[in-house]
Amino acid sequence: MSGVRLDDLPIRDDLRGRTPYGAPQIDVPVRLNTNENPYPPSPGLVADLAEAVRRDASELNRYPDRDAVALREDLAAYLGHGLTSRQVWAANGSNEVLQQILQAFGGPGRSAMGFEPSYSMHPIITTGSATRWIPGAREDDFGLDPEKAVAAIEEHRPDIVFLTSPNNPTGTALPMEAIQRVVAAAPGMVVVDEAYFEFARTGTPSSLTLLPGNPRLIVTRTMSKAFAMAGTRLGYLATDPAVIDALLLVRLPYHLSTLTQAAARVALAHTGELLGTVDRLRAERDACVAWLRGQGLEVADSDANFVLFGRFADRRAVWEGLLERGVLIREVGPPEWLRVSVGTAEEMAAFREAMSAVLSVARPASAPAGRDDLEEVL
Ligand SMILES: *Cc1c(COP(=O)(O)O)cnc(C)c1O
């Protein structure tokens, strides 16, 4: 090793002192920290994937389809709403989709705004593209006050507005009316990040319904969560074809490998099976919310595959207590809260057992189960 430290390098001034995205990847029996779908691909899906890879392997001397047309057709068909491949774009995870949006519509001298607490990658991708980040605020119940959101947009006039619905890490889905108000007020692009849409309660409308007549609206989705394909790295968006013309200017040529395109198409051919796990996860989520509330804890309503709960004066102690018992959750969001991803029935039982043990250490059996005394002890 040269002994050179990051600070010694001629790195961009605006990157100095930053910390990279870092959900800890710790090898423990129960991993409930990155909102993955806990159900692995079925043997039938694995077999179809292996066959698709075998078929395409003989042509790996060639570059992939640069425009991923067949995959975009499949994604449009999955999304419905009358969308065509011309309105759908895909990249390596929705994080890359977001980065391409920032490259095309952000940059030096430009700004992007989001309403926090929300997804930590929005400011990271924004500032990584030398775009100024403007933190807006959500309400105490983690919803959005449309009046205040519109006022903040009119004050700052950001080039890009992020809305996350259902939101990460709070689980909150936004009413369509709030999204419409933001779209109408925003002077630039509006990105609605719907990474968790498939987990929302039945009847929750998608922002895809707002696309007609709103050419500056982008709705992003991912196969990392509901589709149980986090390892594939496939994210996508729906928008006006002109927006995709803008993204073509900044994307790297051949950004989506032949094997990624093939894997995503096989997964889409198994949509029914993959989304079959979503109902089970929603039921586990609702049970988890009820159980945590039964422990006297505060719990945010969730339309996603995770639950935000608190409040703890020392959340680190609770996080560590769970980790000691083999359960990894996420220390994220407002300072007194923790987030648990929804796993299998067995994993959630392990979480409840570990959580009970942690709470009983912190809260003597004689003390009443109330939030106030919990906050004191933990
Ligand atoms: C997990 C997540 C993503 C997905 O990222 P990928 O790059 O597609 O894995 C996007 N947005 C939010 C809000 C997320 O929580």
Side-chain angles (χ1 to χ4, degrees):
M1 227 74 80
S2 65
V4 171
R5 291 165 308 129
L6 173 57
D7 279 348
D8 301 327
L9 296 173
I11 187 175
R12 267 163 45 191
D13 289 336
D14 62 320
L15 294 179
R16 283 190 195 280
R18 293 265 172 84
T19 37
Y21 173 87
Q25 292 190 301
I26 305 174
D27 196 11
V28 293
V30 181
R31 282 194 309 194
L32 301 173
N33 72 327
T34 50
N35 301 342
E36 293 151 325
N37 187 317
Y39 296 100
S42 69
L45 173 49
V46 170
D48 287 355
L49 243 167
E51 174 53 26
V53 170
R54 200 200 55 76
R55 187 193 60 223
D56 286 349
S58 62
E59 288 184 28
L60 285 179
N61 56 314
R62 300 293 177 192
Y63 281 114
D65 174 1
R66 204 169 45 214
D67 296 327
V69 174
L71 170 61
R72 286 162 64 199
E73 277 167 7
D74 291 353
L75 288 167
Y78 164 69
L79 286 176
H81 294 271
L83 291 165
T84 70
S85 60
R86 283 281 293 128
Q87 294 162 283
V88 173
W89 179 246
N92 296 284
S94 53
N95 280 319
E96 190 183 41
V97 166
L98 295 172
Q99 186 177 50
Q100 292 175 345
I101 294 169
L102 261 303
Q103 286 177 307
F105 297 101
R110 294 189 167 216
S111 63
M113 175 170 207
F115 299 88
E116 300 178 335
S118 193
Y119 186 42
S120 64
M121 283 308 298
H122 293 159
I124 292 176
I125 293 170
T126 295
T127 53
S129 65
T131 310
R132 189 165 54 92
W133 175 250
I134 303 169
R138 285 177 171 252
E139 301 303 299
D140 288 344
D141 66 355
F142 304 129
L144 201 62
D145 179 331
E147 307 292 330
K148 290 194 211 165
V150 166
I153 289 167
E154 284 172 352
E155 182 190 344
H156 296 287
R157 305 199 54 79
D159 298 282
I160 300 166
V161 176
F162 285 102
L163 294 176
T164 315
S165 182
N167 188 39
N168 177 13
T170 65
T172 324
L174 293 173
M176 210 37 51
E177 192 238 331
I179 297 172
Q180 261 165 323
R181 294 280 304 277
V182 166
V183 170
M189 305 301 293
V190 176
V191 178
V192 183
D193 187 332
E194 288 193 347
Y196 299 97
F197 181 77
E198 287 90 346
F199 295 104
R201 278 167 281 191
T202 316
T204 307
S206 165
S207 289
L208 293 172
T209 58
L210 301 178
L211 286 175
N214 287 311
R216 289 180 286 101
L217 174 62
I218 302 174
V219 182
T220 63
R221 297 274 188 103
T222 179
M223 296 187 78
S224 296
K225 311 286 165 53
F227 269 93
M229 281 278 137
T232 302
R233 307 305 300 128
L234 199 289
Y236 56 105
L237 58 75
T239 188
D240 191 274
V243 175
I244 294 171
D245 289 341
L247 301 180
L248 289 172
L249 301 175
V250 296
R251 66 88 183 270
L252 296 174
Y254 316 110
H255 68 294
L256 210 46
S257 88
T258 300
L259 301 181
T260 301
Q261 295 185 39
R265 294 193 69 205
V266 169
L268 284 162
H270 288 255
T271 295
E273 167 194 331
L274 287 169
L275 295 188
T277 65
V278 167
D279 285 340
R280 267 188 273 173
L281 291 167
R282 281 165 158 175
E284 284 296 338
R285 167 194 71 203
D286 294 342
C288 178
V289 169
W291 185 84
L292 287 166
R293 284 187 179 144
Q295 305 305 301
L297 293 164
E298 218 175 310
V299 187
D301 286 330
S302 176
D303 271 296
N305 66 336
F306 53 82
V307 177
L308 190 75
F309 64 99
R311 294 158 46 171
F312 308 110
D314 185 359
R315 71 170 174 183
R316 169 50 66 93
V318 178
W319 182 83
E320 281 174 353
L322 292 171
L323 189 57
E324 278 163 23
R325 290 165 179 84
V327 178
L328 176 62
I329 67 166
R330 188 84 189 276
E331 203 182 358
V332 69
E336 298 175 320
W337 298 74
L338 291 166
R339 190 192 71 191
V340 60
S341 307
V342 176
T344 62
E346 295 73 28
E347 287 170 326
M348 296 318 282
F351 166 70
R352 288 192 298 271
E353 193 176 322
M355 196 62 204
S356 298
V358 170
L359 289 175
S360 69
V361 170
R363 178 173 62 201
S366 56
R371 204 175 6 108
D372 292 345
D373 65 282
L374 261 184
E375 272 182 55
E376 257 167 53
V377 196
L378 291 174

